[in-house]
Amino acid sequence: MKNDVVRLGRLSGERSEELMQFLSSMQADRSIAGADILVDIAHVLMLEKQKIIEEAVAKKLIRALLKLHDKGISEEAFDDRFEDVHAGIESLLVASLGPETGGRLHVGRSRNDEVATCIRIRVRDDLIRQMEDILRLRETLLAIAGEHTGTAMPGFTHLQHAQPTTLAHHMLAYEQAFSRDFDRLSEAYARVNLSPLGAAAFASTGYPVNREFTAKLLGFDGVMVNTMDAVATRDFALEVLSGLAIAMTGISRLCEELVLWSSSFVRFVTLDDPFCSTSSIMPQKKNPDTAEIMRAKTGSVAGALAAATLIVKGLPMSYNRDLQDLTPHLLRGIHDAGTSTRLLTGMLASADFNRERMAGEAGKGFSTATDLADSLVRAYAIPFRTAHSIVGRAVQKGSLDVATLDAAAGEVGAGFTLSEKGLTQAQVDKALSVTFSLSLRKSPGGPAPVATKGAVRERKKQLARDRAKTDERAGKHAKAKDRLIADARRLVL
Ligand code: ARG
């Protein structure tokens, strides 16, 4: 067992297993260990370039680091005896290269800037993946919308039949919401991808480090300039978590609808068997468990945001160990949101929508009553409120035939009857038809097939633009990483 080189000088005394585990960040550090090797390599290349360490030392360090990069980090580095993976990796290097060489890795930096840099590298990669997942979810919603521009369904307010709409319109609404979630994460990304490295503990360092150089090597878009801010802030984590928590509310609402729509008294959708469970006692049951768990994950992600917010809220400048306890919440939030996004995409793509059931419900509950009121306004130039009162009273009476409408007009004091104005039952029936109602709602953003077809086309163009931007960012990381490793290999040739 290698000793923890960090504790060696200042502290003595044995720590209990429980205390070591309590203080250790090892579990979360597994997620940033790969990034830590990249950070170490960039740091050493910079130290060598700035002549802070000799070339021979840099070569030995780089050789050892490349070995960890190529072959993987040995389990020993993750022992709870080390407070964290940074101490673990440094201890391994000191043990394998000897203190003369291994002991020179950490000059001009601190674990405070190191860990912040590692988390940002990890999170920017996770963000790219999350954005790609949202793009695929949006793509699926647009595919369903494209197939169902003519699929009438009831639209609801207060969960009461309100007005007819189409499945395309419904799916486009979610696509639009997820597109804003994409934008929020995309904006957060710009503030995540900045390098804290070189800030050291918080007060920078007296060595002539080159922060722009390491930032560029690591594919960052810039430097977190103020060194105190660089190590102290986790606002980027709060921003990412809040973006994810907001995205999860959209996911949860869609799941809620899938639960509702798959119930036996609604039957708008049949979810594919793999996404459902059965009962251990009731052999007939098919339960929408995936959608339910996903709905619950919204609480977990919001909880991660709440925990992270409360952890930072009372901290004085600059680094405090409390920050370590934030990282697992960040990683958990990212994990839950990512899994939910991917699984929801699969659940939607394999769902079977019941066109007949939806169309059958679309005209129920007097859902085209607004259209009748509108047609009375158009035909007879009466005020909308008068038409609204007449139709409303006729609904109260239980029928929308001309005789009932006439009686209703009398009861609400309209001062005229509709039959005397020439209203026929054929005109009433036309106004009440679902297809007619939908065809009228053709202004941009509405449910008319002509409008939703146009919307699907437009949204696909936006999707392509968002995808291009994400690919460009992902490509930049990959290139930076390849270049960093190539630079490191060149040094030790
Ligand atoms: N494991 C620590 C974290 O996650 C790394 C920084 C430790 N710094 C310190 N001064 N103890 O925040």
Side-chain angles (χ1 to χ4, degrees):
M1 173 54 61
K2 314 286 182 293
N3 288 322
D4 183 330
V5 292
V6 178
R7 291 179 62 78
L8 196 66
R10 178 66 178 83
L11 302 168
S12 37
E14 279 287 303
R15 291 208 265 192
S16 70
E17 198 63 33
E18 189 177 37
L19 179 56
M20 283 193 292
Q21 273 176 17
F22 187 72
L23 291 169
S24 172
S25 55
M26 276 305 181
Q27 218 169 333
D29 285 357
R30 286 186 183 272
S31 304
I32 56 169
D36 198 50
I37 299 298
L38 301 179
V39 171
D40 285 348
I41 291 175
H43 180 64
V44 173
L45 291 178
M46 183 278 294
L47 293 176
E48 196 274 330
K49 175 184 154 73
Q50 301 295 101
K51 308 220 176 314
I52 298 170
I53 59 171
E54 287 173 5
E55 195 186 331
V57 171
K59 282 185 172 176
K60 285 186 198 156
L61 286 170
I62 290 289
R63 254 187 221 110
L65 288 166
L66 281 174
K67 206 155 130 199
L68 294 179
H69 174 265
D70 296 339
K71 302 226 158 79
I73 305 163
S74 72
E75 264 310 299
E76 239 183 304
F78 297 102
D79 196 286
D80 273 338
R81 170 178 304 262
F82 307 119
E83 280 185 2
D84 50 38
V85 74
H86 320 293
I89 290 173
E90 190 187 344
S91 300
L92 289 194
L93 291 181
V94 170
S96 65
L97 301 173
E100 249 315 303
T101 302
R104 294 180 194 274
L105 169 69
H106 206 60
V107 63
R109 74 170 188 191
S110 150
R111 280 183 295 171
N112 300 350
D113 58 338
E114 185 179 357
V115 71
T117 309
C118 293
I119 296 171
R120 284 170 183 269
I121 289 176
R122 170 71 207 222
V123 170
R124 74 172 183 205
D125 291 347
D126 288 343
L127 266 183
I128 294 282
R129 179 155 192 224
Q130 179 64 37
M131 288 190 278
E132 288 169 350
D133 290 338
I134 293 181
L135 289 171
R136 275 188 282 274
L137 173 58
R138 287 168 55 192
E139 191 176 26
T140 301
L141 288 165
L142 291 180
I144 299 171
E147 260 177 62
H148 289 280
T149 53
T151 305
M153 69 178 295
F156 301 89
T157 60
H158 315 270
L159 205 53
Q160 306 287 326
H161 286 68
Q163 292 175 334
T165 184
T166 60
L167 184 57
H169 192 228
H170 209 119
M171 294 295 113
L172 281 163
Y174 278 111
E175 191 280 329
Q176 194 96 61
F178 292 130
S179 161
R180 287 192 298 278
D181 294 321
F182 175 92
D183 291 346
R184 268 184 282 272
L185 295 175
S186 174
E187 283 154 27
Y189 176 94
R191 282 177 287 276
V192 168
N193 199 31
L194 298 171
S195 175
L197 199 61
F202 77 91
S204 79
T205 165
Y207 295 102
V209 294
N210 187 336
R211 300 189 61 198
E212 279 74 24
F213 181 70
T214 46
K216 192 151 183 259
L217 283 181
L218 291 167
F220 285 107
D221 294 323
V223 165
M224 288 290 293
V225 178
N226 181 288
T227 58
M228 185 180 279
D229 176 44
V231 298
T233 192
R234 291 293 183 272
D235 57 359
F236 68 97
L238 300 186
E239 206 173 333
V240 168
L241 282 172
S242 57
L244 295 175
I246 294 171
M248 286 302 292
T249 63
I251 287 180
S252 186
R253 291 180 75 161
L254 182 41
C255 285
E256 169 68 18
E257 301 215 270
L258 291 176
V259 170
L260 200 64
W261 292 358
S262 61
S263 69
S264 59
F265 56 94
V266 177
R267 285 188 293 112
F268 283 1
V269 74
T270 304
L271 299 173
D272 201 15
D273 281 1
F275 293 99
C276 298
S277 303
T278 186
S279 159
S280 59
I281 177 170
M282 299 166 281
Q284 84 285 7
K285 291 296 302 278
K286 176 171 170 180
N287 300 323
D289 292 37
T290 309
E292 292 172 303
I293 297 275
M294 214 170 273
R295 204 168 50 182
K297 290 293 181 202
T298 310
S300 303
V301 177
L305 170 63
T309 307
L310 295 181
I311 285 170
V312 293
K313 83 167 247 316
L315 297 183
M317 282 292 177
S318 56
Y319 178 84
N320 299 271
R321 192 67 181 277
D322 312 47
L323 294 178
Q324 170 177 298
D325 223 37
L326 182 149
T327 312
H329 295 291
L330 174 61
L331 296 172
R332 182 164 57 84
I334 289 171
H335 176 264
D336 286 346
T339 328
S340 299
T341 311
R342 289 187 292 279
L343 293 177
L344 176 59
T345 302
M347 188 156 56
L348 283 170
S350 60
D352 184 15
F353 292 96
N354 187 335
R355 294 169 199 254
E356 291 69 40
R357 270 291 302 148
M358 289 183 166
E361 285 292 322
K364 287 215 181 136
F366 298 102
S367 72
T368 46
T370 313
D371 298 277
L372 178 57
D374 285 342
S375 70
L376 297 179
V377 169
R378 277 193 292 268
Y380 310 121
I382 60 176
F384 175 75
R385 187 56 61 218
T386 307
H388 178 270
S389 300
I390 296 171
V391 175
R393 179 55 60 96
V395 167
Q396 191 188 63
K397 291 170 157 306
S399 168
L400 290 177
D401 57 31
V402 177
T404 313
L405 286 164
D406 277 348
E411 284 183 26
V412 301
F416 57 83
T417 65
L418 292 160
S419 48
E420 87 197 15
K421 288 190 179 286
L423 183 70
T424 65
Q425 192 58 43
Q427 287 167 331
V428 172
D429 292 343
K430 182 177 178 202
L432 290 176
S433 120
V434 167
T435 317
F436 182 67
S437 163
L438 285 172
S439 73
L440 287 181
R441 291 164 152 63
K442 56 178 188 272
S443 58
V450 58
T452 51
K453 278 178 196 155
V456 170
R457 272 196 304 277
E458 284 310 307
R459 299 307 301 163
K460 279 187 176 165
K461 282 186 208 153
Q462 184 59 46
L463 190 71
R465 285 193 287 274
D466 291 344
R467 184 160 278 151
K469 189 164 147 195
T470 311
D471 288 349
E472 190 192 317
R473 281 171 163 171
K476 196 183 159 192
H477 294 170
K479 219 189 264 161
K481 191 177 160 194
D482 289 349
R483 219 183 297 125
L484 173 69
I485 298 301
D487 285 357
R489 291 202 204 287
R490 208 170 304 120
L491 182 74
V492 298
L493 261 186

